[in-house]
Amino acid sequence: MSTEVRNNTALERFEIYVDSAIAGYVEYQDTVSERAFVHTEIYPQHEGQGYGRVLIEAALNATRAEGLGALPMCPMVHHFIETRPQYLSMVPHWARDRLGLPQ
């Protein structure tokens, strides 16, 4: 199966496509210097296959490439960052304590 992640800026979300069909998305809201990830949805027929991880990783990598920080408001994005220290630096220090993330 082929996967592709696209940034749908009109809907403010990254979408993951599996074999050209949408399989889920992560919604965001941009501020001046951060991107707040607010909700992630993987459609039921695609759950449990690792697509959420692929989607969130691609969204965070694109966010980093744009020079933005990340605010993991969504529990899935929060867990992803919490378990992958290489992404923790994307979360501003002021937000880490508020979100229960290590400094």
Side-chain angles (χ1 to χ4, degrees):
M1 293 190 162
S2 66
T3 61
E4 178 186 9
V5 176
R6 302 177 198 158
N7 185 358
N8 184 337
T9 57
L11 295 178
E12 293 186 305
R13 67 187 198 178
F14 286 90
E15 301 168 337
I16 187 165
Y17 290 82
V18 177
D19 292 337
S20 301
I22 190 166
Y25 57 88
V26 58
E27 294 176 331
Y28 62 83
Q29 296 172 351
D30 285 348
T31 67
V32 173
S33 57
E34 288 95 28
R35 176 167 286 153
F37 291 94
V38 295
H39 178 71
T40 303
E41 181 91 24
I42 299 296
Y43 298 140
Q45 63 270 32
H46 297 290
E47 288 178 346
Q49 299 174 53
Y51 295 124
R53 179 192 54 77
V54 171
L55 171 62
I56 293 168
E57 184 173 41
L60 288 172
N61 288 340
T63 297
R64 180 181 279 156
E66 290 178 51
L68 295 171
L71 299 174
M73 311 305 285
C74 163
M76 284 182 67
V77 178
H78 185 281
H79 177 74
F80 183 92
I81 290 175
E82 188 173 47
T83 58
R84 290 163 183 85
Q86 66 269 30
Y87 290 98
L88 186 59
S89 65
M90 292 182 68
V91 181
H93 285 283
W94 64 264
R96 291 181 197 176
D97 189 49
R98 294 179 190 172
L99 297 171
L101 291 168
Q103 288 296 320

